[in-house]
């Protein structure tokens, strides 16, 4: 047993007691023969041996994070931690993400885990802006016991980031890193390529009948003649609206680029990433400085991001006093177009080469029903400039060998300006005269073009977040084999944000984007001007017991007050706060160290079992929600002002959601760790779910946010590691993981069976719900009526019969996720591959709906359009029996009937039609690197040099029903499950990297 008198005790606030050898505490990761002796950084920046952790966690090191030169930590972690899902909520030059760790434990709460950087609480924004180059490792603490002392802040798990620090050597070390990568649109929707522009019955330009339809050169839908029609197919025809010279552009009537004409709009995006860091130090001090610059030109021409990051970290120990500090400045600018651009493009018929219209403007576009994408991308744009500064300080003082005092604090300050503008375009001033037709002095608006009103909006936000913890630590040897550590401390979190918003329409001078140039100011009630401040104060206590080197016990307790739950009753000035308790108990036992018969075993070389019980909370209440304030209506009455009763209040006696978790873990090492197995199972019961529910109208209010229900979250994870071959020159490592989670809604309150979480904004009758007795979240919507054989039932007009009541159509979360990776090293050449497979999840696709409307959906050409469209595998009720249906939709067996159906009721009648299988297999990363032998560099000043090539999203396979409509991981809502047309297609990246040290 290593006595405490010769070791440094790590006070691990998120796991068990740990003994760390004093000589190793200067390094974030200690290389030893036994992987369990590796020292990693846990919560609050405290280091611990992996051997002593009592909850489930996963450490991802710098090499794995940077193997494919990922631009941010979220992308770098994808598929590398079992139970960790990272989903994109907005795609683009600077995508935003939501992180879900071990499934849902709340209905309305934020799913993102707590981010801790260098021992102090940070934000997901900083996490995604921090260059992976400056990160030593990321410790994903999945178990609730690991976050117990963070209370409500850590209810969704904790991600602990440890940044690099300078070496002990007084010699200056310089490291350079550089990468260039190329991004391309990879998974564009698959569209039919048999029919082109036109629509039946539209004879303004030509009344020639092409098998039931008309060719229209400016139509935005593909309901025109077949490309195989000998009367028009392959011939040179007019296309689009007349150009500025009054003439038409011409092209062959055929599918361009094999039907994949949209790909010609996208550029090959280029990202440059360059940086360097300098480190040096001494026996009692260290310094580390890093500069990183990233420039990303996205696949949308003109969309770009620039980011500069300055990072400094240093520390010094003087006698019994220790001081560490980190300073980080991030300056970022973004320019991007309106996300509605992609929806405009999706309607483009395949006979159009989009590049032909890049200089045609709105008036000469291929169609008046959509905006010219080349013009639109410059006409409706947004720009943002963000500067943030983070300062972290860590202080420690040892009064004696048994008592010490530590303080960790951070101040995060951020300023951001966001500007959006639209350049106006008055379509009524544009008129056309087309010889040989009835179109004479015809305004563009009469074609259906929607004029654009010029506008300008600017939002300025300022954020100041403070977090600090002060902790008094006691450590004693009770006996030679029994040690105790006790800690008492205080946490303070103080977040402050201001937002100022101005804007309006009708710019006096075109192209001048300034509030002084706005003629019609936006009313104040439609603007976002707020000041928000929240505070959280907590006291905590921690007790760790260690028996010899194989049995560990951890007990924690925390009492928390939050201003979100503070109440000031009516007609009083007294502010009432309530303390909410959180606590945990965890134990770890290592039989291979406890029993001599298991020691030095060549088969089972390591066995560890651990378990824990945890009670945490989640205060998912908005700031000031409990205040008894009225609503300030507009126009009440006329132009007068008044306050009205808030019809959607929050219960002033509301409590945090309570999570009670049981967890068990097993770790095995076989054949000297040639095979490793880690398994974890858990159950979390959440009581007092917070959500809004309808109440009786006699109360005078519409809904009340209160504690109303229960949810049970269960899961299982297993991680397998195999090293089939290992020698000096050749090593092969394989890793695999299996994770399965289930969040079951047990109760939603009296008389409440479901809660709507998100609705589709594209007129699809479907949405995301929490439903009593079902997994959460599920997709509900209008379903087809079917007979006992599963055939769709249609009415006398051939239209599907639907059940107007919403039914469950699928669920958002996968049944399970399988992760896999391999790493093969031959001498100085290393190949790494990472991927995952998930299935059982679904999503609502707005893109599929839009493609159906535009006649681009493959389904629209499964039958000869000239004979209408008969619902496949449908039946009709005839004389009390279901018989195969032969009636075309709308009772119209013509091209017109098919077109009218898909551009009409098909869009809005059935939600089931647009629920798509989210199954996906992805090869996330492939990286090949070569380390130049040291013998080659021996006569140079270069210490090390490596070059590499890599790919991200190298290969992706979707379910058969997902015709590249959307990446199942993207969603326009935070809860997931809805893929809007504003989401750009999946992208693929190929790149080259170079790293050198001097």
């Amino acid at each position: 047993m290593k006595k405490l008198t010769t070791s440094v005790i790590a006070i691990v606030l998120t796991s068990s007691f740990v003994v760390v050898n004093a000589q190793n505490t200067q390094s974030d990761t200690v290389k030893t023969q036994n992987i369990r002796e590796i020292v990693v950084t846990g919560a609050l920046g405290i280091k611990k041996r992996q051997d002593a952790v009592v909850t489930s966690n996963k450490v991802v090191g710098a090499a794995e994070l940077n193997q494919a030169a990922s631009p941010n930590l979220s992308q770098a972690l994808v598929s590398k931690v079992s139970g960790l899902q990272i989903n994109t909520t907005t795609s683009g030059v600077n995508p935003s993400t939501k992180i879900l760790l071990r499934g849902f434990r709340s209905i309305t709460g934020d799913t993102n885990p707590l981010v801790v950087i260098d021992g102090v609480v940070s934000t997901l924004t900083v996490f995604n802006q921090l260059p992976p180059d400056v990160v030593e490792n990321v410790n994903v603490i999945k178990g609730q016991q690991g976050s117990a002392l963070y209370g409500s802040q850590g209810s969704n798990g904790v991600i602990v980031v440890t940044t690099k620090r300078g070496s002990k050597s007084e010699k200056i070390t310089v490291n350079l890193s550089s990468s260039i990568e190329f991004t391309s649109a990879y998974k564009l929707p698959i569209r039919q390529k048999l029919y082109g522009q036109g629509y039946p019955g539209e004879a303004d330009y030509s009344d020639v009948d092409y098998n039931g339809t008309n060719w229209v050169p400016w139509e935005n839908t593909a309901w025109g003649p077949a490309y195989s029609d000998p009367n028009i197919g392959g011939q040179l025809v007019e296309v689009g609206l007349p150009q500025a010279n009054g003439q038409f552009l011409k092209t062959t009537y055929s599918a361009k680029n094999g039907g994949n004409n949209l790909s010609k709009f996208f550029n090959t995006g280029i990202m440059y990433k360059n940086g360097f860091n300098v480190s040096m130090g001494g026996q009692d001090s260290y310094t580390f400085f890093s500069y990183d610059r990233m420039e990303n030109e996205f696949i949308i021409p003109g969309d770009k991001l620039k980011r500069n990051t300055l990072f400094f970290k240093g520390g010094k120990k003087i006698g019994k006093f220790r001081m560490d500090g980190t300073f980080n400045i991030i300056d970022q600018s973004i320019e991007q177009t309106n996300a509605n651009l992609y929806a405009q493009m999706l309607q483009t018929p395949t006979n159009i080469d989009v590049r032909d219209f890049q200089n045609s403007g709105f008036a000469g576009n291929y169609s008046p029903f959509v905006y010219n994408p080349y013009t639109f991308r410059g006409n409706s744009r947004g720009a943002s400039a963000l500067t943030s500064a983070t300062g972290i300080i860590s202080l420690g003082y040892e009064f004696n060998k048994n008592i010490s005092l530590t303080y960790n604090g951070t101040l995060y300050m951020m300023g951001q300006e966001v500007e959006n503008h639209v350049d106006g375009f008055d379509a009524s001033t544009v008129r056309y005269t087309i010889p040989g037709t009835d179109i004479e002095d015809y305004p563009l608006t009469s074609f259906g073009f929607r004029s654009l009103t010029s506008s300008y909006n600017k939002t300025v936000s300022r954020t100041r977040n403070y977090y600090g913890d002060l902790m008094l630590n006691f450590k004693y040897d009770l006996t030679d084999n029994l040690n105790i550590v006790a800690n008492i401390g205080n946490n303070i979190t103080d977040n402050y944000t201001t937002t100022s918003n101005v804007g309006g329409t009708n710019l006096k001078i075109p192209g001048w984007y300034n509030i002084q140039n706005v003629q019609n100011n936006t009313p104040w009630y439609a603007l976002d001007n707020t000041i928000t401040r929240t505070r959280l104060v907590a006291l905590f206590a921690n007790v760790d017991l260690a028996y010899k080197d194989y049995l560990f016990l951890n007990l924690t307790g925390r009492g928390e007050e939050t201003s979100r739950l503070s109440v000031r009753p009516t007609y009083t000035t007294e502010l009432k706060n309530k303390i909410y308790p959180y606590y945990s108990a965890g134990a770890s036992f290592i039989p291979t160290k406890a029993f001599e018969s298991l020691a030095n075993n060549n088969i089972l070389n390591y066995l560890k079992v651990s378990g824990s019980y945890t009670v945490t909370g989640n205060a998912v209440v908005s700031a000031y929600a409990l205040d008894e304030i009225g609503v300030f209506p507009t126009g009440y009455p006329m132009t007068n002002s008044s306050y009205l009763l808030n019809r959607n209040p929050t219960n002033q006696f509301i409590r945090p959601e309570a999570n009670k978790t049981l967890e068990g873990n097993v770790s095995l090492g076989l054949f000297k760790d040639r095979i490793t197995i880690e398994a974890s199972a858990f159950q979390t019961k959440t009581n007092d779910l917070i959500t809004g529910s309808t109440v009786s109208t006699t109360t005078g209010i519409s809904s009340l946010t209160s504690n109303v229900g229960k949810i049970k979250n269960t899961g299982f994870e297993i991680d397998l590691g195999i090293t089939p071959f290992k020698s000096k020159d050749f090593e092969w490592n394989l890793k695999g993981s299996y994770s399965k989670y289930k969040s079951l809604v047990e109760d939603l309150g009296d008389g409440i069976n479901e809660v709507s979480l998100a609705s589709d904004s594209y007129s699809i009758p479907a949405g995301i719900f929490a439903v009593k007795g079902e997994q959460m979240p599920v997709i509900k919507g209008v379903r087809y009526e079917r007979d006992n054989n599963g055939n769709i039932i249609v009415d006398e007009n051939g239209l599907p019969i639907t059940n107007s009541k919403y039914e469950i159509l699928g669920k958002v979360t996968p049944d399970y996720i399988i992760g896999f990776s391999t790493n093969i090293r031959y001498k100085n050449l290393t190949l790494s591959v990472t991927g995952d497979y998930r299935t059982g999840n679904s999503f609502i696709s707005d893109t599929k709906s839009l493609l159906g409307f535009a006649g681009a959906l493959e389904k629209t050409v499964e039958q000869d359009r000239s004979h209408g469209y008969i619902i496949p595998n449908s039946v009709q009720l005839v004389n009390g029996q279901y018989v195969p249906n032969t009636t075309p939709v709308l009772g119209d067996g013509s091209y017109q009937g098919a077109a009218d159906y898909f551009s009409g009721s098909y869009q809005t009648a059935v939600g089931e039609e647009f629920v798509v299988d989210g199954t996906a297999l992805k090869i996330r990363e492939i990286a090949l690197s070569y380390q130049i032998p040291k013998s080659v560099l021996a006569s140079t000043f270069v210490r090390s040099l490596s070059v590499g090539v890599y790919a991200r999203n190298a290969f992706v396979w979707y379910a058969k029903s997902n015709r590249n409509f959307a990446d199942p991981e993207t969603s326009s809502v935070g809860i997931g499950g809805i893929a809007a047309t504003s989401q750009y297609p999946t992208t693929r990246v190929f790149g080259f990297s170079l790293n050198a040290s001097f």
Side-chain angles (χ1 to χ4, degrees), residues 69-72 92-95 129 131 133 177-183 268-275 291-300 302-309 330-335 950 952 989-990 992:
S70 296
N72 60 61
V93 67
N94 185 43
Q129 291 174 338
D133 295 348
S177 63
S178 180
S179 65
I180 179 172
E181 59 188 47
F182 305 93
T183 304
T268 296
I270 302 178
M271 179 185 291
Y272 303 93
K273 193 169 179 292
N274 300 285
Y291 170 75
D292 184 272
R293 178 173 175 83
M294 183 176 73
E295 296 185 39
N296 182 18
E297 296 182 6
F298 192 50
I299 60 174
I300 302 297
D303 286 16
K304 54 189 176 181
L305 175 149
K306 295 181 181 179
R307 181 185 298 153
N308 294 284
T309 304
I330 298 173
D331 183 74
Q332 174 179 284
S333 63
I334 299 172
E335 295 181 25
Y950 59 87
R952 295 196 302 274
V989 174
F990 295 97
F992 306 88

Side-chain angles (χ1 to χ4, degrees), residues 506-571:
N506 293 315
L507 303 183
K508 298 177 185 177
I509 303 174
W512 182 29
Y513 310 119
N514 189 288
I515 190 60
Q516 300 179 65
N517 194 38
V518 170
Q519 297 187 68
N520 303 106
N521 289 296
T522 302
W524 61 267
Y525 53 80
L527 296 172
D528 183 18
N529 289 282
T530 58
I531 298 176
T532 304
R533 185 178 185 184
T534 61
R535 285 174 57 86
L536 185 149
V537 179
L539 296 174
F540 64 83
N542 179 73
V543 175
D544 290 290
L545 291 169
Y547 181 73
K548 292 187 176 180
D549 199 27
Y550 59 77
L551 183 61
F552 305 91
L553 175 67
N554 174 240
L555 303 172
T556 71
R558 175 184 173 101
E560 180 179 293
E561 290 181 323
T562 173
S563 63
R564 294 177 183 272
L565 299 178
S566 298
V567 178
R568 180 176 282 111
T570 307
Y571 307 121

Side-chain angles (χ1 to χ4, degrees), residues 684-739:
T684 299
K685 289 188 175 183
T686 302
N687 297 325
D688 296 330
L689 288 176
I690 295 175
T691 189
S693 57
T694 57
V695 297
S696 172
T697 56
T698 59
T699 62
I701 61 178
S702 300
S703 68
L704 176 68
T705 298
S706 188
N707 301 105
V708 297
K710 302 177 182 179
I711 190 171
K712 182 171 70 173
N713 174 229
T714 57
F716 173 77
E717 303 160 350
I718 184 166
D719 291 85
L720 174 66
I722 302 175
T723 305
F725 302 99
K726 185 175 183 180
S727 66
K728 179 182 178 181
D729 292 334
F730 181 75
E731 183 175 351
W732 182 18
N733 294 304
L734 292 166
K735 294 180 181 178
S737 67
Y738 175 89
S739 55

Side-chain angles (χ1 to χ4, degrees), residues 796-854:
E796 64 277 6
N797 292 317
L799 291 173
I801 297 175
T802 63
N803 186 347
S804 59
K805 180 181 179 182
Y806 273 29
E807 298 181 33
I808 295 176
L809 305 175
K811 60 186 182 67
V812 174
T813 54
D815 288 340
Y816 58 86
I817 300 175
I818 296 175
F820 51 89
S821 66
T822 185
N823 185 284
I824 303 173
R825 178 187 60 83
Y826 176 69
K827 293 186 177 180
N828 292 342
L829 188 67
T830 302
L831 173 66
S832 301
V833 180
T834 302
D836 62 53
Y837 172 78
R838 60 188 66 192
T839 188
N841 55 304
S842 302
F843 66 95
I844 302 169
S845 174
D846 290 349
T847 295
K848 183 179 181 182
S849 174
L850 181 57
L851 293 180
F853 161 81

